[in-house]
């Protein structure tokens, strides 16, 4: 890019640094770093910022509102990008997800699942689904409470929702909590995945989307297979520009 400014050129070195620290955390945890997918969370950042990350070799991007994401997806029109929808999704926006995104990290209702399935079938598309779990039962957060998860997966499975592949669980860790508390939250999500993968005999139920800029190293120690990192790659978000 010819007119890449200072902040766009930082993106490549930030990505390199985050990838190196993921690999180091994996090594310490005796895990294979290739099992951990870095999702660069580009919400509020421009399509030029995403283009800079693509130029640096990155392919997985996360967005959390449909309007902003669809503008970037059509602007970049790059079939090698894998888009992840990571924010809370209202059921009336479900129709925008299949076909545009490969992954939804935030399933939290059966009604939403039915609408996603209907749209995926219309498009003959497949959508990978993660259920958002509110591990700490934080009233300010979305997601299924841990004690309601068994029943939720049971109902989801009985509905035979074509076009959706149930792939795992997602959570948002407690904000600026001490390491012990963060790790307890992430460990709980791992235990839930392990027990329901076995209980429901779901071989593809392998993913744990957990860890953000402030806590992805703790999440990797507890088994994260996807980390969602925004600020550490793209810099601080300026909501006043939107
Ligand atoms: C914004 C966001 C992130 C990225 O947060 P950073 O702290 O900037 O890394 C991750 N996950 C979700 C669900 C988000 O909304």
């Amino acid at each position: 890019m010819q007119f890449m400014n200072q902040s766009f050129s930082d993106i490549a070195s930030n990505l390199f640094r985050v990838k190196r620290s993921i690999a180091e955390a994996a090594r310490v945890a005796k895990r294979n770093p290739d099992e951990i997918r870095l999702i660069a969370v580009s919400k509020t950042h421009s399509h030029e910022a995403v283009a800079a990350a693509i130029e640096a070799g990155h392919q997985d991007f996360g967005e959390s509102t449909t309007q902003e994401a669809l503008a970037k997806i059509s602007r970049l029109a790059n079939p090698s990008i894998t888009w992840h929808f990571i924010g809370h999704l209202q059921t009336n926006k479900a129709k925008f997800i299949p076909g545009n995104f490969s992954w939804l990290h935030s399933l939290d209702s059966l009604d939403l699942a039915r609408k996603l399935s209907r749209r995926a079938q219309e498009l003959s598309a497949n959508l990978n689904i993660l259920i958002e779990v509110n591990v700490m039962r934080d009233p300010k957060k979305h997601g299924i409470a841990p004690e309601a998860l068994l029943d939720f997966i049971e109902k989801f499975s009985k509905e035979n929702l074509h076009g959706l592949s149930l792939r795992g669980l997602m959570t948002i860790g407690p904000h600026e909590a001490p390491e012990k508390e963060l790790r307890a939250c992430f460990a709980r999500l791992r235990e839930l995945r392990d027990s329901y993968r076995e209980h429901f005999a779901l071989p593809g139920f392998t993913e744990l989307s957990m860890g953000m800029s402030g806590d992805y190293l703790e999440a990797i120690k507890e088994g994260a297979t996807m980390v969602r990192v925004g600020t550490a790659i793209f810099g601080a978000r300026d909501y006043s520009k939107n």
Side-chain angles (χ1 to χ4, degrees):
M1 249 174 296
Q2 215 175 346
F3 301 111
M4 206 188 256
N5 68 23
Q6 183 58 39
S7 72
F8 292 153
S9 71
D10 287 344
I11 290 171
S13 58
N14 291 346
L15 260 173
F16 180 76
R17 200 158 24 80
V18 169
K19 284 180 181 171
R20 200 175 47 195
S21 62
I22 289 173
E24 173 63 13
R27 194 186 61 76
V28 171
K30 301 193 162 50
R31 299 185 55 203
N32 178 354
D34 297 339
E35 288 170 6
I36 302 156
R37 195 194 295 222
L38 171 62
I39 295 154
V41 177
S42 49
K43 68 184 184 202
T44 78
H45 296 285
S46 64
H47 65 88
E48 288 99 333
V50 177
I54 295 168
E55 194 121 319
H58 202 69
Q59 293 193 321
D60 284 272
F61 294 92
E63 288 281 334
S64 61
T65 61
T66 51
Q67 196 182 11
E68 185 192 343
L70 294 175
K72 270 176 231 175
I73 291 170
S74 68
R75 182 75 190 242
L76 290 158
N78 184 335
S80 66
I81 302 178
T82 300
W83 290 100
H84 300 250
F85 194 88
I86 63 171
H88 176 64
L89 184 64
Q90 292 167 287
T91 50
N92 64 349
K93 305 269 176 72
K95 57 181 178 285
F96 299 122
I97 302 301
N100 285 311
F101 293 84
S102 303
W103 292 81
L104 175 86
H105 291 233
S106 51
L107 184 74
D108 61 358
S109 83
L110 280 174
D111 191 30
L112 177 59
R114 291 181 196 115
K115 290 191 165 71
L116 291 165
S117 170
R118 199 173 312 150
R119 185 63 180 149
Q121 288 178 75
E122 281 167 11
L123 298 172
S124 301
N126 180 66
L127 182 66
N128 293 299
I129 297 280
L130 305 176
I131 300 168
E132 181 169 354
V133 182
N134 189 351
V135 174
M136 314 299 274
R137 299 176 189 83
D138 179 345
K140 294 191 292 293
K141 282 190 180 132
H142 295 282
I144 306 288
E147 62 274 15
L149 189 58
L150 176 74
D151 184 56
F152 185 82
I153 299 175
E154 199 156 87
K155 289 192 170 123
F156 181 99
S157 306
K158 278 199 184 123
E159 297 227 359
N160 257 316
L161 296 163
H162 295 288
L164 307 186
S165 306
L166 190 56
R167 298 297 310 278
L169 303 174
M170 176 273 221
T171 200
I172 298 174
H175 187 60
E176 288 176 359
E179 164 152 15
K180 195 164 163 239
E181 205 176 307
L182 284 167
R183 288 192 59 173
C185 169
F186 297 144
R188 183 81 186 105
L189 198 73
R190 184 189 65 234
E191 290 157 11
L192 289 166
R193 179 205 57 187
D194 291 346
S195 67
Y196 296 145
R197 180 168 55 179
E198 194 170 342
H199 180 87
F200 291 101
L202 294 166
F205 195 69
T206 52
E207 304 302 315
L208 286 175
S209 169
M210 54 192 197
M212 314 188 354
S213 292
D215 57 15
Y216 69 91
L217 297 177
E218 287 79 9
I220 289 168
K221 289 178 195 161
E222 296 299 341
T225 64
M226 294 177 157
V227 292
R228 310 176 307 267
V229 178
T231 310
I233 296 170
F234 294 108
R237 285 182 285 277
D238 180 0
Y239 287 99
S240 68
K241 283 191 302 188
N242 292 52

